[in-house]
Amino acid sequence: MPRLLQHAYWLGLWAFMMAVLLVAACFLSPLSGAQQLIELTVAGVLTLSTAWLVFHSLRIYPTRAGLMPYALLVAVLGGILLFTLDMYVANWLNQRLGAGPILRFKAFRFAAALLFTGWLAFQCAYAQRHKEITALLQQQQSAASLHREAALYKLRQQLQPHFLYNSLNSINALISLEPQAAQRMVVKLSDFLRHAVKQEGQEQITLADELAHIQNYLDIELVRFGHRLQVAVENNAPGTAILPPLLLQPLLENAIKYGLYGISETVTITIQIHQQDDLLLFQITNPFTPGQESGGGTGFGLQGLQQRLQLLFGRADLLHISKTENLFTATLKIPQA
Amino acid sequence: MKQPVLIIDDEPLARQLLRQYLQAYPALEIAGEAGDGFEAYKLIQQVQPALIFLDVQMPRLTGFEMLELLEQPPAVIFTTAFDQYALKAFESQALDYLLKPISPERLAVAVKKFLANSAPGTAQAQPEWPLPEQHAQRIAVKDRDTIRIIPAADILYIEASDDYIKIHTGSGAFLKKGTLSRTVAALDPNQFVRVHRSFLIPVGQLRQIEPYEKDSHLALLHCGARVSVSKSGLARLKEVLGW
């Protein structure tokens, strides 16, 4: 519909211009009625075709020249073309009718043709520029909203509201049962939050840092799940190895979720870390009961992790998941460049 | 008379907190605690509580899965750390829900609601539990006295029979109370197609379709069973298979 309106707008302008010419010709021209009609028809058809040509040649333009110089060029060339064709065709038709060639108003006709194409080219260039700016603006807006979403996701990942609320509920219970344990838990939770908030803007942290954070997280989970959860960490990598923050936690969360939610007995989760050439390797293993692994969702956390790794390293082979009969193993590789 | 209450949560501290809070209500008596859906199911059969406090995400059997297995579920107050958005889903069906960390004031409101509802002559209609946001990957059924979890991949086809659905698997058929339309809504629509008023089949089980009487077809499944396919069922099947 807007396209149709645009066409109507241009056609209307053109019709208006032709009407003006017609009126002007009636008053100014000493030519015969038949000659006038022929010339006006020829001029009408030619201006319309030139307009079409100008319009389409301005839809794409060489960026090196820039839009406005190019529009000027199109206007001049279009004007010359329009004038030449107009002269040629009108003369030819007049001769056939025996009315003789057009000799008058040549300068006026040339000026009119130039004015017309110039004005048209400017209009087209302006519309083109407007379109470009609108598109650019839209692009920026959608990029900004994408960015906001990503930031929000990261924040949620950092703060883990679900984990936070459950931990607070546990502290609530401990306050009267074991006040000292409640105090310890408050400190651990604060450390966890402080670390999570601090990550903002940091691209790489040391393994020692990340392990301290993870230990905090695990300590809190141990209080929450009591004797049901056991975690064994086996680290053979140097503490100075580096990795992006908050990558391990989704893996551990997953291991705890599927380990604990699938089994009622004590669950042991093992974390093995070692360095192999220029790769830092994490291996996180948890038991699970086949057929029940979907009790708490479908590994969405791991999908998010996979995407993050792709963004960070541009590789899709850094996270590997394997299942044996009743063991679930996630292997994470972090390139040490 | 005291009302028997069960506390169901996989976190021991969360159970203890509720136990502690509930001491303030002499009208309620804590009849037991459970740490997962299986335990809870057994305990509910034994104790027949009037009210349960139920966590949703639990080992082995989730809160919702357990509720679906109960013939006459007690009044339920959910206790969960889910955010408001997720809660909206079951707000309407549960007696009440408590967000963790639970506040004593909010608990008081919920208990009051229960005590008002449990006055004689206010029998509760059987509520229909909300469907989880994600498509179910499994169905929990009662198999005599035990609970069996059927992975969606093991289902050969599902048949409606009166108030029950009959789930056919390689290791036998299992009955579950419920309607076929509800089962359709719970399962992944790209995997399961309702081909007939009374039949739901996994698309992977379809071997071939042959015309049967006017306007109807028969679907031959890999397991050898033949099920009726209605006109609209065929259209749905074609849509999913992209024919």
Side-chain angles (χ1 to χ4, degrees):
Chain A
M1 194 58 205
R3 216 182 140 76
L4 208 70
L5 275 176
Q6 230 175 17
H7 286 174
Y9 166 76
W10 287 111
L11 270 175
L13 269 179
W14 174 78
F16 174 73
M17 204 191 70
M18 290 311 294
V20 169
L21 268 179
L22 189 71
V23 171
C26 282
F27 283 106
L28 294 172
S29 172
L31 300 173
S32 74
Q35 237 179 338
Q36 265 179 38
L37 200 68
I38 289 166
E39 284 185 24
L40 275 176
T41 313
V42 168
V45 171
L46 284 177
T47 45
L48 205 60
S49 327
T50 317
W52 185 84
L53 214 70
V54 167
F55 178 73
H56 280 275
S57 45
L58 271 169
R59 287 177 108 179
I60 307 161
Y61 62 92
T63 40
R64 228 175 14 179
L67 184 56
M68 283 305 159
Y70 180 66
L72 197 67
L73 182 75
V74 167
V76 171
L77 286 180
I80 292 171
L81 184 74
L82 178 57
F83 173 71
T84 320
L85 279 175
D86 185 33
M87 281 287 126
Y88 182 79
V89 176
N91 275 343
W92 181 72
L93 271 174
N94 277 339
Q95 268 167 356
R96 296 217 68 185
L97 285 172
I102 298 168
L103 299 167
R104 305 161 59 118
F105 300 123
K106 269 193 178 170
F108 172 74
R109 276 163 178 272
F110 184 57
L114 264 184
L115 207 68
F116 173 68
T117 51
W119 168 78
L120 195 72
F122 177 73
Q123 283 273 329
C124 286
Y126 179 78
Q128 181 73 24
R129 186 52 38 101
H130 183 77
K131 209 165 74 184
E132 280 171 13
I133 290 173
T134 314
L136 198 71
L137 225 64
Q138 251 171 11
Q139 209 180 345
Q140 268 173 358
Q141 267 167 0
S142 68
S145 93
L146 259 179
H147 188 75
R148 260 200 309 280
E149 251 168 62
L152 202 66
Y153 172 78
K154 198 179 164 209
L155 193 70
R156 218 174 281 142
Q157 198 62 34
Q158 267 172 303
L159 294 183
Q160 302 270 337
H162 200 264
F163 167 74
L164 204 61
Y165 294 137
N166 274 318
S167 302
L168 284 170
N169 199 49
S170 300
I171 291 173
N172 208 354
L174 284 173
I175 286 173
S176 56
L177 291 169
E178 284 179 76
Q180 286 185 336
Q183 284 169 348
R184 281 198 301 274
M185 185 103 153
V186 167
V187 172
K188 282 194 188 302
L189 195 59
S190 311
D191 283 346
F192 174 84
L193 282 174
R194 194 171 294 120
H195 179 89
V197 171
K198 203 177 65 185
Q199 313 280 278
E200 192 62 54
Q202 242 174 319
E203 294 197 342
Q204 299 270 340
I205 59 169
T206 63
L207 177 62
D209 243 13
E210 179 71 0
L211 280 181
H213 179 60
I214 286 305
Q215 197 55 55
N216 252 328
Y217 173 73
L218 290 173
D219 284 348
I220 296 167
E221 293 291 71
L222 283 170
V223 174
R224 278 179 61 202
F225 293 104
H227 303 301
R228 289 225 297 128
L229 178 65
Q230 277 182 358
V231 183
V233 184
E234 196 184 302
N235 181 18
N236 295 314
T240 49
I242 49 164
L243 69 159
L246 307 168
L247 283 183
L248 280 184
Q249 199 184 305
L251 281 179
L252 286 173
E253 207 187 321
N254 209 61
I256 291 174
K257 192 163 82 183
Y258 291 122
L260 285 181
Y261 291 130
I263 297 160
S264 290
E265 294 78 44
T266 302
V267 168
T268 304
I269 290 166
T270 57
I271 306 168
Q272 285 171 307
I273 310 162
H274 56 271
Q275 191 157 5
Q276 202 176 66
D277 304 324
D278 57 349
L279 283 179
L280 185 61
L281 266 107
F282 295 91
Q283 216 162 39
I284 296 164
T285 309
N286 67 276
F288 79 102
T289 314
Q292 301 202 347
E293 62 266 46
S294 46
T298 50
F300 177 77
L302 293 194
Q303 230 175 50
L305 182 61
Q306 189 77 267
Q307 276 168 8
R308 241 194 109 197
L309 288 169
Q310 179 76 45
L311 277 175
L312 286 167
F313 298 103
R315 284 174 64 174
D317 62 338
L318 296 175
L319 181 64
H320 179 74
I321 306 292
S322 66
K323 277 184 198 177
T324 61
E325 204 171 315
N326 50 13
L327 274 187
F328 185 95
T329 306
T331 310
L332 174 69
K333 298 178 206 161
I334 304 293
Q336 302 288 301
Chain B
M1 197 191 93
K2 284 193 169 192
Q3 304 267 25
V5 173
L6 288 186
I7 302 173
I8 303 160
D9 197 306
D10 60 326
E11 294 185 42
L13 284 172
R15 295 199 297 267
Q16 265 166 338
L17 183 69
L18 267 178
R19 188 173 268 278
Q20 194 183 315
Y21 280 169
L22 288 175
Q23 279 171 0
Y25 303 93
L28 306 180
E29 182 184 33
I30 297 165
E33 291 179 6
D36 69 49
F38 277 99
E39 260 178 58
Y41 177 78
K42 266 187 273 174
L43 207 58
I44 288 170
Q45 307 288 28
Q46 278 169 22
V47 176
Q48 300 288 328
L51 170 68
I52 57 174
F53 288 89
L54 182 64
D55 186 15
V56 177
Q57 232 185 23
M58 284 189 303
R60 302 208 286 173
L61 198 65
T62 69
F64 287 133
E65 284 172 335
M66 189 217 47
L67 283 174
E68 294 224 320
L69 296 176
L70 296 172
E71 299 275 340
Q72 281 176 313
V76 179
I77 296 175
F78 285 107
T79 61
T80 170
F82 281 126
D83 57 14
Q84 231 83 19
Y85 172 76
L87 273 170
K88 273 215 159 66
F90 50 87
E91 207 169 350
S92 54
Q93 300 296 340
L95 176 64
D96 206 344
Y97 63 92
L98 300 171
L99 284 176
K100 289 177 182 174
I102 297 166
S103 81
E105 291 78 17
R106 188 63 188 76
L107 176 72
V109 173
V111 171
K112 207 168 148 190
K113 214 190 262 185
F114 164 71
L115 292 174
N117 268 13
S118 68
T122 52
Q124 271 192 350
Q126 165 120 11
E128 184 160 279
W129 302 108
L131 298 166
E133 281 170 69
Q134 288 167 327
H135 297 303
Q137 301 293 323
R138 59 186 210 182
I139 298 180
V141 295
K142 273 181 291 186
D143 182 12
R144 283 179 222 94
D145 289 335
T146 61
I147 294 168
R148 181 185 280 262
I149 304 244
I150 303 172
D154 290 1
I155 297 171
L156 300 176
Y157 65 101
I158 302 177
E159 188 181 352
S161 83
D162 298 329
D163 291 345
Y164 287 84
I165 55 167
K166 197 174 190 180
I167 305 164
H168 294 264
T169 70
S171 45
F174 302 94
L175 277 177
K176 179 176 178 154
K177 206 169 169 65
T179 62
L180 202 57
S181 51
R182 194 176 154 71
T183 316
V184 171
L187 292 166
D188 185 353
N190 290 318
Q191 297 296 323
F192 289 85
V193 178
R194 187 174 192 173
V195 294
H196 186 267
R197 198 162 45 87
S198 309
F199 292 106
L200 178 63
I201 64 165
V203 286
Q205 284 294 327
L206 184 66
R207 188 207 288 273
Q208 67 179 67
I209 289 187
E210 47 199 44
Y212 192 53
E213 296 166 357
K214 181 172 167 282
D215 270 356
S216 81
H217 288 74
L218 269 185
L220 181 60
L221 305 182
H222 285 302
C223 62
R226 278 164 207 269
V227 303
S228 305
V229 178
S230 65
K231 201 174 164 187
S232 56
L234 188 66
R236 277 192 293 271
L237 200 57
K238 280 181 177 172
E239 197 179 315
V240 170
L241 292 172
W243 284 353

